[in-house]
Amino acid sequence: MPKRQRHQQLTQFIEDNPFITDRELTRLLKVSIQTIRLDRMELGIPEVRERMKLMAERSYDSVRSLPLHEVIGDIVDLELDKSGISLFEIRQEHVFSRTSIARGHHLFAQANSLAVAVIDDAIALTVTADIRFLRPVRLGEKCIAKAYVKSISGERSKSKIECFTYVGEEMVFQGNFVIYRSAGEGEYEGGEVIADRN
Amino acid sequence: MPKRQRHQQLTQFIEDNPFITDRELTRLLKVSIQTIRLDRMELGIPEVRERMKLMAERSYDSVRSLPLHEVIGDIVDLELDKSGISLFEIRQEHVFSRTSIARGHHLFAQANSLAVAVIDDAIALTVTADIRFLRPVRLGEKCIAKAYVKSISGERSKSKIECFTYVGEEMVFQGNFVIYRSAGEGEYEGGEVIADRN
């Protein structure tokens, strides 16, 4: 592969996933880690830790629907009513003791609280979720959840959120959430009642 | 309503939900709490706390797929590969600080871990879940989850689990889980791969 093409691909990979490591890039581009490092230097792209630090420092929208400390995972990017990204590292307290496989509800909690956090309203509650665990996640792995807000036609009080969680380049979890949202005047009375009202 | 008919209904309500309180029974049968107490005495049915204690002491199957202390909620009944019941009380650490509404992932965790616990195999992992939050659950409420195992035709390595969570008589959460199961020889490699193999 010519260098110019590799540079283009490298830039694209990092744009798609700013948390990709040099080691993962060697696998994808089939070149040595030295080549990746030189390429990054030539392109002026900092290493992954530096990129994460920059993203964390970057100004992004503030979460409205819940206090920031109640979000499961660290939010590193947020554009209200559009998209959000959070990071969650699987620690000892998140895994089954026998297998060191992450318990499903922690992956769900990361995605669900990100789906709530991207809503630009004071009140946001999950009505339904269709989720899929694509492969077991293990102790020490870093989960990157990305959520995208879609509107639901004819529904002002609900949004659909698509969430994808990755470890490196690999998708490990996927969820579609329907979130009830409100400026705070009403009282949530369950999915069915809300649906009847609209 | 004649007394005999009321006694029949009372017995049925308690059979359907052993955790129903006398106060909830007054609402359903539209009689005073004194009447409920007298009825229970005549019928030889102990009060709710005593019933819960008896159920907890009753011998039931042991959980195989995970250590008992890793189940979220207290298992009060379990028939492996058939059904299970667990209790989970919503405490301060389970609710959103602003609203005192239980966070979705705790209700999911109760249902999901019960769905895993009812599996009569050493390894059980959630592949997919379709869940629905029917009404917000609040601080102090006691959630009773009931799970039922259904086989999937032509699938030996997966089971479908239907789970319903109640507060009193009211259903607050519903979930359909597909659980991958194995005696322990193989390695789980994600829903898709398993599906291709069978």
Side-chain angles (χ1 to χ4, degrees):
Chain A
M1 193 193 297
K3 187 171 169 180
R4 221 180 69 186
Q5 201 188 329
R6 194 178 66 229
H7 276 196
Q8 279 177 346
Q9 286 207 358
L10 182 82
T11 310
Q12 190 60 51
F13 282 134
I14 294 176
E15 222 160 78
D16 289 347
N17 175 10
F19 312 109
I20 195 166
T21 62
D22 286 352
R23 195 152 298 280
E24 285 158 351
L25 287 164
T26 64
R27 200 169 42 77
L28 290 167
L29 294 165
K30 297 187 198 340
V31 291
S32 71
I33 198 146
Q34 284 79 7
T35 305
I36 298 288
R37 283 177 193 149
L38 281 170
D39 282 353
R40 276 200 298 93
M41 272 172 67
E42 283 181 41
L43 292 162
I45 300 173
E47 57 138 6
V48 64
R49 274 167 206 279
E50 190 59 28
R51 292 199 301 272
M52 282 169 70
K53 219 179 117 219
L54 286 171
M55 277 200 92
E57 285 168 3
R58 223 174 71 185
S59 70
Y60 49 78
D61 287 348
S62 301
V63 177
R64 290 192 57 200
S65 54
L66 73 174
L68 189 58
H69 72 268
E70 292 195 347
V71 177
I72 314 284
D74 300 317
I75 289 198
V76 291
D77 196 31
L78 189 68
E79 215 177 329
L80 286 174
D81 274 350
K82 282 208 175 152
S83 64
I85 300 176
S86 81
L87 284 182
F88 182 69
E89 186 174 340
I90 303 300
R91 301 220 177 84
Q92 197 64 53
E93 64 267 33
H94 306 127
V95 301
F96 287 109
S97 56
R98 284 187 196 163
T99 54
S100 290
I101 289 176
R103 306 193 60 170
H105 62 270
H106 294 298
L107 291 176
F108 173 76
Q110 177 188 19
N112 186 45
S113 72
L114 184 61
V116 166
V118 292
I119 297 290
D120 190 8
D121 260 317
I123 292 177
L125 288 167
T126 308
V127 182
T128 63
D130 292 346
I131 60 178
R132 176 168 268 264
F133 297 89
L134 299 163
R135 77 132 163 99
V137 177
R138 286 164 203 287
L139 185 62
E141 289 189 314
K142 287 178 192 66
C143 298
I144 302 157
K146 300 184 181 185
Y148 304 93
V149 182
K150 314 273 167 183
S151 63
I152 300 175
S153 67
E155 287 267 22
R156 255 193 267 171
S157 65
K158 284 188 199 161
S159 291
K160 188 180 161 193
I161 318 291
E162 292 176 358
C163 187
F164 307 93
T165 305
Y166 300 85
V167 170
E169 285 297 294
E170 202 176 353
M171 198 188 293
V172 295
F173 175 93
Q174 192 200 321
N176 292 317
F177 297 83
V178 173
I179 306 285
Y180 164 77
R181 55 191 297 164
S182 154
E185 304 94 17
E187 170 88 343
Y188 175 68
E189 295 171 40
E192 295 307 336
V193 175
I194 296 292
D196 289 342
R197 277 191 188 162
N198 290 320
Chain B
M1 193 194 296
K3 186 171 168 180
R4 222 181 68 189
Q5 201 188 326
R6 196 179 64 230
H7 276 195
Q8 280 177 347
Q9 286 208 359
L10 182 82
T11 310
Q12 191 60 51
F13 282 134
I14 293 176
E15 221 161 77
D16 289 348
N17 175 10
F19 313 110
I20 196 166
T21 62
D22 286 353
R23 196 152 297 281
E24 284 158 353
L25 287 164
T26 64
R27 201 170 41 78
L28 290 167
L29 294 165
K30 299 189 199 337
V31 292
S32 72
I33 199 145
Q34 284 80 5
T35 306
I36 298 287
R37 283 178 193 148
L38 281 169
D39 282 354
R40 276 200 298 94
M41 271 173 66
E42 284 181 39
L43 292 161
I45 301 173
E47 57 139 6
V48 63
R49 273 166 207 280
E50 189 60 27
R51 291 200 300 271
M52 282 169 68
K53 218 178 117 216
L54 287 170
M55 276 201 91
E57 285 167 5
R58 224 175 70 185
S59 70
Y60 49 78
D61 287 349
S62 301
V63 178
R64 289 193 56 200
S65 54
L66 73 174
L68 189 58
H69 71 268
E70 292 195 347
V71 177
I72 314 284
D74 299 317
I75 289 197
V76 290
D77 196 31
L78 189 70
E79 215 177 328
L80 285 174
D81 274 351
K82 283 207 174 151
S83 63
I85 300 177
S86 80
L87 284 181
F88 181 68
E89 187 175 340
I90 303 299
R91 301 219 177 84
Q92 197 64 53
E93 64 267 34
H94 305 128
V95 301
F96 286 110
S97 56
R98 285 186 196 164
T99 53
S100 290
I101 289 176
R103 307 193 60 170
H105 63 270
H106 295 297
L107 291 175
F108 172 76
Q110 177 188 18
N112 186 45
S113 72
L114 183 61
V116 166
V118 292
I119 297 290
D120 191 9
D121 260 319
I123 292 177
L125 289 167
T126 309
V127 182
T128 63
D130 292 345
I131 60 179
R132 176 169 268 263
F133 297 89
L134 298 164
R135 77 134 163 97
V137 177
R138 288 165 201 286
L139 185 62
E141 290 190 312
K142 287 178 191 65
C143 297
I144 301 156
K146 299 184 182 186
Y148 304 94
V149 182
K150 315 272 166 182
S151 63
I152 300 175
S153 68
E155 288 267 20
R156 257 194 266 170
S157 64
K158 285 187 200 161
S159 291
K160 189 182 162 191
I161 319 290
E162 292 176 357
C163 187
F164 306 92
T165 305
Y166 299 84
V167 170
E169 286 296 294
E170 203 177 352
M171 199 188 291
V172 295
F173 175 93
Q174 192 199 320
N176 291 318
F177 297 84
V178 173
I179 306 284
Y180 164 78
R181 55 191 298 163
S182 155
E185 304 94 16
E187 170 89 343
Y188 175 69
E189 296 172 41
E192 295 307 335
V193 175
I194 295 292
D196 288 341
R197 277 189 187 161
N198 289 321

